PDB file of all heavy atoms in Angstrom:
ATOM      1  N   TYR P  34      37.228  78.470  11.092  1.00  0.00           N
ATOM      2  CA  TYR P  34      36.064  78.298  11.955  1.00  0.00           C
ATOM      3  C   TYR P  34      36.465  78.051  13.397  1.00  0.00           C
ATOM      4  O   TYR P  34      35.746  78.382  14.319  1.00  0.00           O
ATOM      5  CB  TYR P  34      35.196  77.143  11.450  1.00  0.00           C
ATOM      6  CG  TYR P  34      34.304  77.569  10.312  1.00  0.00           C
ATOM      7  CD1 TYR P  34      34.257  76.859   9.122  1.00  0.00           C
ATOM      8  CD2 TYR P  34      33.498  78.693  10.454  1.00  0.00           C
ATOM      9  CE1 TYR P  34      33.454  77.260   8.087  1.00  0.00           C
ATOM     10  CE2 TYR P  34      32.690  79.102   9.430  1.00  0.00           C
ATOM     11  CZ  TYR P  34      32.660  78.385   8.242  1.00  0.00           C
ATOM     12  OH  TYR P  34      31.862  78.798   7.233  1.00  0.00           O
ATOM     13  N   SER P  40      30.615  81.841  14.130  1.00  0.00           N
ATOM     14  CA  SER P  40      30.308  81.604  12.725  1.00  0.00           C
ATOM     15  C   SER P  40      30.013  80.137  12.480  1.00  0.00           C
ATOM     16  O   SER P  40      29.115  79.783  11.722  1.00  0.00           O
ATOM     17  CB  SER P  40      31.475  82.023  11.841  1.00  0.00           C
ATOM     18  OG  SER P  40      31.642  83.409  11.917  1.00  0.00           O
ATOM     19  N   LEU P  44      26.700  78.517  10.915  1.00  0.00           N
ATOM     20  CA  LEU P  44      26.772  77.648   9.747  1.00  0.00           C
ATOM     21  C   LEU P  44      26.009  76.354   9.999  1.00  0.00           C
ATOM     22  O   LEU P  44      25.197  75.909   9.177  1.00  0.00           O
ATOM     23  CB  LEU P  44      28.240  77.336   9.432  1.00  0.00           C
ATOM     24  CG  LEU P  44      28.455  76.474   8.193  1.00  0.00           C
ATOM     25  CD1 LEU P  44      28.351  77.340   6.958  1.00  0.00           C
ATOM     26  CD2 LEU P  44      29.809  75.784   8.235  1.00  0.00           C
ATOM     27  N   SER P  50      18.696  73.688   9.550  1.00  0.00           N
ATOM     28  CA  SER P  50      17.347  74.117   9.182  1.00  0.00           C
ATOM     29  C   SER P  50      16.985  73.644   7.790  1.00  0.00           C
ATOM     30  O   SER P  50      15.877  73.153   7.557  1.00  0.00           O
ATOM     31  CB  SER P  50      17.240  75.641   9.225  1.00  0.00           C
ATOM     32  OG  SER P  50      17.534  76.088  10.498  1.00  0.00           O
ATOM     33  N   THR P  54      13.904  71.206   6.925  1.00  0.00           N
ATOM     34  CA  THR P  54      12.834  71.526   5.983  1.00  0.00           C
ATOM     35  C   THR P  54      12.651  70.407   4.971  1.00  0.00           C
ATOM     36  O   THR P  54      11.546  69.893   4.765  1.00  0.00           O
ATOM     37  CB  THR P  54      13.169  72.829   5.231  1.00  0.00           C
ATOM     38  OG1 THR P  54      13.383  73.863   6.181  1.00  0.00           O
ATOM     39  CG2 THR P  54      12.055  73.214   4.290  1.00  0.00           C
ATOM     40  N   TYR P 117      -7.073  94.579 -19.335  1.00  0.00           N
ATOM     41  CA  TYR P 117      -7.423  95.973 -19.056  1.00  0.00           C
ATOM     42  C   TYR P 117      -6.302  96.669 -18.296  1.00  0.00           C
ATOM     43  O   TYR P 117      -5.891  97.777 -18.650  1.00  0.00           O
ATOM     44  CB  TYR P 117      -8.735  96.062 -18.258  1.00  0.00           C
ATOM     45  CG  TYR P 117      -9.090  97.488 -17.979  1.00  0.00           C
ATOM     46  CD1 TYR P 117      -9.680  98.276 -18.967  1.00  0.00           C
ATOM     47  CD2 TYR P 117      -8.775  98.090 -16.770  1.00  0.00           C
ATOM     48  CE1 TYR P 117      -9.956  99.605 -18.755  1.00  0.00           C
ATOM     49  CE2 TYR P 117      -9.043  99.419 -16.545  1.00  0.00           C
ATOM     50  CZ  TYR P 117      -9.631 100.172 -17.543  1.00  0.00           C
ATOM     51  OH  TYR P 117      -9.891 101.496 -17.343  1.00  0.00           O
ATOM     52  N   PHE P 154     -24.115  83.545  -0.315  1.00  0.00           N
ATOM     53  CA  PHE P 154     -24.493  84.218  -1.555  1.00  0.00           C
ATOM     54  C   PHE P 154     -25.042  83.226  -2.587  1.00  0.00           C
ATOM     55  O   PHE P 154     -26.197  83.322  -2.998  1.00  0.00           O
ATOM     56  CB  PHE P 154     -23.293  84.976  -2.114  1.00  0.00           C
ATOM     57  CG  PHE P 154     -23.618  85.800  -3.330  1.00  0.00           C
ATOM     58  CD1 PHE P 154     -24.547  86.825  -3.251  1.00  0.00           C
ATOM     59  CD2 PHE P 154     -22.997  85.545  -4.540  1.00  0.00           C
ATOM     60  CE1 PHE P 154     -24.851  87.583  -4.364  1.00  0.00           C
ATOM     61  CE2 PHE P 154     -23.297  86.301  -5.661  1.00  0.00           C
ATOM     62  CZ  PHE P 154     -24.230  87.325  -5.570  1.00  0.00           C
ATOM     63  N   THR P 158     -28.750  82.939  -1.115  1.00  0.00           N
ATOM     64  CA  THR P 158     -29.382  84.098  -1.744  1.00  0.00           C
ATOM     65  C   THR P 158     -29.781  83.810  -3.186  1.00  0.00           C
ATOM     66  O   THR P 158     -30.902  84.120  -3.595  1.00  0.00           O
ATOM     67  CB  THR P 158     -28.428  85.303  -1.699  1.00  0.00           C
ATOM     68  OG1 THR P 158     -27.984  85.474  -0.362  1.00  0.00           O
ATOM     69  CG2 THR P 158     -29.129  86.561  -2.165  1.00  0.00           C
ATOM     70  N   TYR P 242     -19.422  73.535   2.421  1.00  0.00           N
ATOM     71  CA  TYR P 242     -20.756  74.132   2.566  1.00  0.00           C
ATOM     72  C   TYR P 242     -21.233  74.853   1.311  1.00  0.00           C
ATOM     73  O   TYR P 242     -22.164  75.643   1.360  1.00  0.00           O
ATOM     74  CB  TYR P 242     -20.777  75.062   3.782  1.00  0.00           C
ATOM     75  CG  TYR P 242     -20.506  74.287   5.038  1.00  0.00           C
ATOM     76  CD1 TYR P 242     -19.399  74.532   5.828  1.00  0.00           C
ATOM     77  CD2 TYR P 242     -21.359  73.239   5.411  1.00  0.00           C
ATOM     78  CE1 TYR P 242     -19.134  73.785   6.956  1.00  0.00           C
ATOM     79  CE2 TYR P 242     -21.108  72.485   6.539  1.00  0.00           C
ATOM     80  CZ  TYR P 242     -20.002  72.759   7.299  1.00  0.00           C
ATOM     81  OH  TYR P 242     -19.744  71.997   8.407  1.00  0.00           O
ATOM     82  N   SER P 269     -11.099  60.467   6.217  1.00  0.00           N
ATOM     83  CA  SER P 269     -10.199  60.447   7.366  1.00  0.00           C
ATOM     84  C   SER P 269     -10.936  60.856   8.634  1.00  0.00           C
ATOM     85  O   SER P 269     -10.557  60.448   9.729  1.00  0.00           O
ATOM     86  CB  SER P 269      -8.981  61.328   7.125  1.00  0.00           C
ATOM     87  OG  SER P 269      -9.376  62.576   6.658  1.00  0.00           O
ATOM     88  N   TYR P 279      -5.357  56.689   2.870  1.00  0.00           N
ATOM     89  CA  TYR P 279      -3.979  56.764   2.395  1.00  0.00           C
ATOM     90  C   TYR P 279      -3.928  56.727   0.872  1.00  0.00           C
ATOM     91  O   TYR P 279      -3.227  57.507   0.234  1.00  0.00           O
ATOM     92  CB  TYR P 279      -3.155  55.596   2.947  1.00  0.00           C
ATOM     93  CG  TYR P 279      -2.552  55.849   4.298  1.00  0.00           C
ATOM     94  CD1 TYR P 279      -2.887  55.057   5.387  1.00  0.00           C
ATOM     95  CD2 TYR P 279      -1.639  56.879   4.473  1.00  0.00           C
ATOM     96  CE1 TYR P 279      -2.335  55.289   6.635  1.00  0.00           C
ATOM     97  CE2 TYR P 279      -1.078  57.108   5.718  1.00  0.00           C
ATOM     98  CZ  TYR P 279      -1.432  56.316   6.795  1.00  0.00           C
ATOM     99  OH  TYR P 279      -0.877  56.556   8.010  1.00  0.00           O
ATOM    100  N   VAL P 289      -1.487  66.770  -7.583  1.00  0.00           N
ATOM    101  CA  VAL P 289      -0.981  68.106  -7.278  1.00  0.00           C
ATOM    102  C   VAL P 289       0.472  68.264  -7.702  1.00  0.00           C
ATOM    103  O   VAL P 289       0.868  69.299  -8.241  1.00  0.00           O
ATOM    104  CB  VAL P 289      -1.170  68.407  -5.784  1.00  0.00           C
ATOM    105  CG1 VAL P 289      -0.447  69.664  -5.397  1.00  0.00           C
ATOM    106  CG2 VAL P 289      -2.639  68.524  -5.469  1.00  0.00           C
TER     107      VAL P 289
ATOM    108  N   PHE K  13     -13.491  94.473 -21.055  1.00  0.00           N
ATOM    109  CA  PHE K  13     -12.269  94.376 -20.248  1.00  0.00           C
ATOM    110  C   PHE K  13     -12.427  95.147 -18.940  1.00  0.00           C
ATOM    111  O   PHE K  13     -12.038  94.680 -17.875  1.00  0.00           O
ATOM    112  CB  PHE K  13     -11.067  94.926 -21.025  1.00  0.00           C
ATOM    113  CG  PHE K  13     -10.700  94.092 -22.228  1.00  0.00           C
ATOM    114  CD1 PHE K  13     -10.178  94.689 -23.372  1.00  0.00           C
ATOM    115  CD2 PHE K  13     -10.882  92.732 -22.221  1.00  0.00           C
ATOM    116  CE1 PHE K  13      -9.839  93.927 -24.470  1.00  0.00           C
ATOM    117  CE2 PHE K  13     -10.546  91.958 -23.320  1.00  0.00           C
ATOM    118  CZ  PHE K  13     -10.033  92.559 -24.449  1.00  0.00           C
ATOM    119  N   LEU K  14     -12.990  96.335 -19.046  1.00  0.00           N
ATOM    120  CA  LEU K  14     -13.168  97.167 -17.859  1.00  0.00           C
ATOM    121  C   LEU K  14     -14.066  96.449 -16.852  1.00  0.00           C
ATOM    122  O   LEU K  14     -13.783  96.427 -15.646  1.00  0.00           O
ATOM    123  CB  LEU K  14     -13.780  98.513 -18.265  1.00  0.00           C
ATOM    124  CG  LEU K  14     -13.924  99.548 -17.155  1.00  0.00           C
ATOM    125  CD1 LEU K  14     -12.558  99.941 -16.641  1.00  0.00           C
ATOM    126  CD2 LEU K  14     -14.646 100.779 -17.662  1.00  0.00           C
ATOM    127  N   PHE K  30     -21.970  90.649   2.431  1.00  0.00           N
ATOM    128  CA  PHE K  30     -22.705  89.464   2.866  1.00  0.00           C
ATOM    129  C   PHE K  30     -22.253  88.968   4.232  1.00  0.00           C
ATOM    130  O   PHE K  30     -23.076  88.592   5.067  1.00  0.00           O
ATOM    131  CB  PHE K  30     -22.596  88.348   1.821  1.00  0.00           C
ATOM    132  CG  PHE K  30     -23.706  88.416   0.839  1.00  0.00           C
ATOM    133  CD1 PHE K  30     -23.635  89.272  -0.246  1.00  0.00           C
ATOM    134  CD2 PHE K  30     -24.856  87.664   1.025  1.00  0.00           C
ATOM    135  CE1 PHE K  30     -24.667  89.364  -1.138  1.00  0.00           C
ATOM    136  CE2 PHE K  30     -25.900  87.748   0.141  1.00  0.00           C
ATOM    137  CZ  PHE K  30     -25.807  88.596  -0.961  1.00  0.00           C
ATOM    138  N   LEU K  86      16.145  80.570   8.399  1.00  0.00           N
ATOM    139  CA  LEU K  86      17.477  79.985   8.195  1.00  0.00           C
ATOM    140  C   LEU K  86      17.541  79.219   6.877  1.00  0.00           C
ATOM    141  O   LEU K  86      18.561  79.262   6.186  1.00  0.00           O
ATOM    142  CB  LEU K  86      17.831  79.064   9.368  1.00  0.00           C
ATOM    143  CG  LEU K  86      18.182  79.793  10.673  1.00  0.00           C
ATOM    144  CD1 LEU K  86      18.280  78.835  11.830  1.00  0.00           C
ATOM    145  CD2 LEU K  86      19.489  80.553  10.524  1.00  0.00           C
ATOM    146  N   THR K  87      16.454  78.538   6.522  1.00  0.00           N
ATOM    147  CA  THR K  87      16.450  77.834   5.236  1.00  0.00           C
ATOM    148  C   THR K  87      16.531  78.840   4.085  1.00  0.00           C
ATOM    149  O   THR K  87      17.233  78.609   3.099  1.00  0.00           O
ATOM    150  CB  THR K  87      15.181  76.976   5.093  1.00  0.00           C
ATOM    151  OG1 THR K  87      15.080  76.121   6.217  1.00  0.00           O
ATOM    152  CG2 THR K  87      15.220  76.145   3.840  1.00  0.00           C
ATOM    153  N   MET K 110       5.922  72.065  -1.753  1.00  0.00           N
ATOM    154  CA  MET K 110       5.407  72.101  -0.391  1.00  0.00           C
ATOM    155  C   MET K 110       4.227  73.053  -0.265  1.00  0.00           C
ATOM    156  O   MET K 110       3.267  72.793   0.454  1.00  0.00           O
ATOM    157  CB  MET K 110       6.538  72.612   0.508  1.00  0.00           C
ATOM    158  CG  MET K 110       6.791  71.807   1.727  1.00  0.00           C
ATOM    159  SD  MET K 110       8.233  72.488   2.538  1.00  0.00           S
ATOM    160  CE  MET K 110       7.740  72.227   4.212  1.00  0.00           C
ATOM    161  N   GLY K 112       2.202  73.667  -2.584  1.00  0.00           N
ATOM    162  CA  GLY K 112       1.062  73.198  -3.354  1.00  0.00           C
ATOM    163  C   GLY K 112       0.329  72.020  -2.750  1.00  0.00           C
ATOM    164  O   GLY K 112      -0.781  71.712  -3.167  1.00  0.00           O
ATOM    165  N   CYS K 124      -1.989  60.982  11.270  1.00  0.00           N
ATOM    166  CA  CYS K 124      -1.418  59.625  11.281  1.00  0.00           C
ATOM    167  C   CYS K 124      -0.022  59.575  11.861  1.00  0.00           C
ATOM    168  O   CYS K 124       0.429  58.517  12.277  1.00  0.00           O
ATOM    169  CB  CYS K 124      -1.377  59.056   9.863  1.00  0.00           C
ATOM    170  SG  CYS K 124      -2.989  58.843   9.166  1.00  0.00           S
ATOM    171  N   THR K 181      33.719  87.025   8.688  1.00  0.00           N
ATOM    172  CA  THR K 181      33.549  85.729   8.028  1.00  0.00           C
ATOM    173  C   THR K 181      32.291  85.765   7.181  1.00  0.00           C
ATOM    174  O   THR K 181      31.478  86.681   7.294  1.00  0.00           O
ATOM    175  CB  THR K 181      33.405  84.592   9.052  1.00  0.00           C
ATOM    176  OG1 THR K 181      32.262  84.875   9.858  1.00  0.00           O
ATOM    177  CG2 THR K 181      34.630  84.457   9.909  1.00  0.00           C
ATOM    178  N   GLU K 183      29.631  83.928   7.384  1.00  0.00           N
ATOM    179  CA  GLU K 183      28.412  83.879   8.203  1.00  0.00           C
ATOM    180  C   GLU K 183      28.129  85.242   8.832  1.00  0.00           C
ATOM    181  O   GLU K 183      26.997  85.721   8.830  1.00  0.00           O
ATOM    182  CB  GLU K 183      28.557  82.836   9.313  1.00  0.00           C
ATOM    183  CG  GLU K 183      28.557  81.406   8.835  1.00  0.00           C
ATOM    184  CD  GLU K 183      29.884  81.018   8.210  1.00  0.00           C
ATOM    185  OE1 GLU K 183      30.904  81.708   8.476  1.00  0.00           O
ATOM    186  OE2 GLU K 183      29.912  80.044   7.436  1.00  0.00           O
ATOM    187  N   MET K 218      -8.146  68.543  11.944  1.00  0.00           N
ATOM    188  CA  MET K 218      -7.806  67.126  12.001  1.00  0.00           C
ATOM    189  C   MET K 218      -6.832  66.781  13.117  1.00  0.00           C
ATOM    190  O   MET K 218      -6.690  65.610  13.458  1.00  0.00           O
ATOM    191  CB  MET K 218      -7.268  66.664  10.639  1.00  0.00           C
ATOM    192  CG  MET K 218      -8.370  66.629   9.581  1.00  0.00           C
ATOM    193  SD  MET K 218      -7.768  66.655   7.910  1.00  0.00           S
ATOM    194  CE  MET K 218      -7.619  64.925   7.575  1.00  0.00           C
ATOM    195  N   VAL K 242     -16.359  75.295  10.695  1.00  0.00           N
ATOM    196  CA  VAL K 242     -16.548  74.056   9.930  1.00  0.00           C
ATOM    197  C   VAL K 242     -17.203  72.971  10.779  1.00  0.00           C
ATOM    198  O   VAL K 242     -18.065  72.234  10.303  1.00  0.00           O
ATOM    199  CB  VAL K 242     -15.207  73.565   9.354  1.00  0.00           C
ATOM    200  CG1 VAL K 242     -15.368  72.199   8.713  1.00  0.00           C
ATOM    201  CG2 VAL K 242     -14.692  74.540   8.327  1.00  0.00           C
ATOM    202  N   GLY K 246     -22.565  72.552   9.834  1.00  0.00           N
ATOM    203  CA  GLY K 246     -23.366  71.498   9.217  1.00  0.00           C
ATOM    204  C   GLY K 246     -24.741  71.350   9.816  1.00  0.00           C
ATOM    205  O   GLY K 246     -25.704  71.046   9.108  1.00  0.00           O
TER     206      GLY K 246
END
Side-chain angles (χ1 to χ4, degrees):
Chain P
Y34 279 129
S40 294
L44 182 80
S50 301
T54 304
Y117 180 79
F154 185 61
T158 308
Y242 298 117
S269 49
Y279 273 119
V289 170
Chain K
F13 293 147
L14 185 64
F30 269 83
L86 287 170
T87 306
M110 229 175 145
C124 296
T181 60
E183 290 76 20
M218 290 160 91
V242 173

